[in-house]
């Protein structure tokens, strides 16, 4: 059936439905806790929408790619959304960023013939950690953010998944 995003204050209050698009999934809180981004699927693609958690404004589309989106996360300053594309076929699964103001053209961040997954932005917003199978095994890599120019460093040595940053970065 339909998928929807719901909000619940844990200490009190009822569940409140936030989205009404029919196939909405994978919510992600903004850094200030005032907005939720989520993926809305259509038959052949998906888009990322955002809505204030208090429901005061309607959904607004903030990003659309030419591929299915499977994961979305915010940059710590709230200026970027980072998305991971579908990884169903070999070599698919890329990481793309979209600025939320100004030029909203999607920016490839980790976009290769290999599969990149699990984007995680450092607390200071300067680094992107992710996993890739480019070495033949899934390993964790780090590169500068938001630019994808320059190097990338493999930081795991015997496999790694789901990178997470410590609070101090």
């Amino acid at each position: 059936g339909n998928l929807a995003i719901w909000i619940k204050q844990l200490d009190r209050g009822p569940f409140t439905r936030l989205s009404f698009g029919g196939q909405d999934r994978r919510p992600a809180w903004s850094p200030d806790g005032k907005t939720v981004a989520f993926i809305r699927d259509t038959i052949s693609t998906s888009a990322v929408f955002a809505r204030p958690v208090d429901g005061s404004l309607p959904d607004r589309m903030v990003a659309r790619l030419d591929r299915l989106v499977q994961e979305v996360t915010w940059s710590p300053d709230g200026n970027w959304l980072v998305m991971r594309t579908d990884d169903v076929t070999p070599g698919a699964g890329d990481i793309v960023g979209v600025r939320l103001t100004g030029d909203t053209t999607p920016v490839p961040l980790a976009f290769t013939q290999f599969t990149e997954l699990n984007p995680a932005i450092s607390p200071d917003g300067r680094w992107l950690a992710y996993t890739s199978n480019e070495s033949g095994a899934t390993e964790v890599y780090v590169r500068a953010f938001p630019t994808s120019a320059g190097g990338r460093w493999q930081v795991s040595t015997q496999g790694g998944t789901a990178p997470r940053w410590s609070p101090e970065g």
Side-chain angles (χ1 to χ4, degrees):
N2 292 336
L3 298 174
I5 307 302
W6 293 76
I7 301 293
K8 168 113 172 82
Q9 288 184 340
L10 294 180
D11 58 343
R12 65 190 188 297
F15 285 95
T16 303
R17 189 170 179 172
L18 187 69
S19 74
F20 297 87
Q23 295 299 319
D24 300 336
R25 60 187 175 82
R26 303 296 300 258
W29 288 97
S30 64
D32 65 7
K34 295 180 180 180
T35 305
V36 170
F38 54 90
I39 299 165
R40 176 169 291 158
D41 292 326
T42 64
I43 291 173
S44 61
T45 189
S46 49
V48 178
F49 284 77
R51 185 165 190 202
V53 297
D54 64 6
S56 60
L57 296 170
D59 304 347
R60 66 183 168 91
M61 186 172 58
V62 293
R64 178 182 294 276
L65 302 178
D66 61 353
R67 297 163 62 184
L68 290 175
V69 176
Q70 295 295 348
E71 186 175 358
V72 62
T73 189
W74 294 78
S75 64
D77 62 9
N79 292 330
W80 287 81
L81 283 177
V82 174
M83 298 161 286
R84 191 235 332 145
T85 64
D86 196 31
D87 65 332
V88 191
T89 60
D94 294 309
I95 300 172
V96 178
V98 172
R99 288 180 189 90
L100 295 175
T101 58
D103 183 0
T104 60
T105 304
V107 175
L109 299 172
F111 205 89
T112 70
Q113 72 269 26
F114 302 104
T115 301
E116 292 89 20
L117 304 170
N118 311 115
I121 303 168
S122 64
D124 65 5
R126 295 180 52 220
W127 302 99
L128 171 68
Y130 62 95
T131 60
S132 174
N133 64 354
E134 68 183 84
S135 71
T138 301
E139 300 286 356
V140 176
Y141 294 82
V142 173
R143 69 180 330 139
F145 177 82
T147 179
S148 60
R152 64 177 179 2
W153 297 268
Q154 182 178 329
V155 296
S156 62
T157 58
Q158 296 181 342
T161 60
R164 297 292 177 258
W165 290 92
S166 65
E168 71 275 356

